[in-house]
Amino acid sequence: MIEQDTVKLLRECDSGVKMGVSSICDVLEYVHENSLRSLLTESKKHHEALGTEIREHLDRLGDDGKDPSPMVETMSRMKTDMKLVLHESDHTIADLMTDGCNMGVKSLSRYLNQYAAADEFSKDIAKRLISIEETLGADMRAYL
């Protein structure tokens, strides 16, 4: 049970990291303020570093990881594109990123509870990813 929950939790973290990186990449070209660009770029680096760690652990467990749902990615990209077409601004980007961070924290917290038998290393990864998302969400408040 421990290994099963460990793999499942790491898969969800893998998917979450990929979604976070994708979302940041989707908005970076629209950012006007350098300070916002720096915050997003730094968060992207944190996501990517944690993603590498997750995939290394999944490799050791003989698992390929998990990509975000194509439907979720498509819907996210459509929402981003529509909002930015209507109002391209750092405020809009901060609003989109805040929503994404909140959804990430909510989902990851649910998975952390759902896969309670996961090993402590995997739980720590999930908690670190939640922290990255919470920090980015808080940082976005200055741009709302």
Side-chain angles (χ1 to χ4, degrees):
M1 182 74 155
I2 290 174
E3 187 172 328
Q4 227 180 6
D5 275 14
T6 296
V7 169
K8 288 178 181 178
L9 181 58
L10 287 172
R11 281 181 188 158
E12 296 303 339
C13 290
D14 188 35
S15 178
V17 162
K18 290 173 182 174
M19 190 71 200
V21 169
S22 175
S23 296
I24 292 169
C25 288
D26 287 346
V27 300
L28 269 176
E29 69 182 274
Y30 299 100
V31 174
H32 294 99
E33 218 171 294
N34 285 335
S35 58
L36 178 57
R37 181 180 314 284
S38 293
L39 284 171
L40 291 170
T41 301
E42 189 65 27
S43 184
K44 181 176 172 251
K45 288 177 187 175
H46 290 303
H47 278 82
E48 290 170 335
L50 193 56
T52 299
E53 194 174 338
I54 290 166
R55 284 184 291 286
E56 286 172 356
H57 198 61
L58 282 167
D59 284 345
R60 283 192 293 268
L61 294 169
D63 193 89
D64 293 331
K66 179 181 176 186
D67 289 328
S69 158
M71 175 75 94
V72 170
E73 274 192 315
T74 300
M75 295 301 289
S76 174
R77 191 164 285 119
M78 285 175 55
K79 178 181 177 182
T80 299
D81 291 346
M82 283 181 39
K83 280 196 162 199
L84 288 173
V85 163
L86 293 174
H87 190 74
E88 182 182 322
S89 71
D90 288 347
H91 164 80
T92 302
I93 290 167
D95 186 54
L96 288 164
M97 294 308 299
T98 299
D99 287 349
C101 290
N102 290 338
M103 287 190 311
V105 168
K106 181 179 171 183
S107 295
L108 290 164
S109 296
R110 182 176 60 245
Y111 293 128
L112 195 55
N113 292 330
Q114 184 176 349
Y115 303 122
D119 68 14
E120 290 305 314
F121 178 81
S122 302
K123 288 179 183 178
D124 179 62
I125 284 180
K127 290 173 186 174
R128 287 189 286 155
L129 183 52
I130 288 168
S131 177
I132 290 169
E133 293 291 318
E134 287 174 333
T135 299
L136 180 58
D139 288 345
M140 291 298 103
R141 292 179 194 147
Y143 299 93
L144 292 174

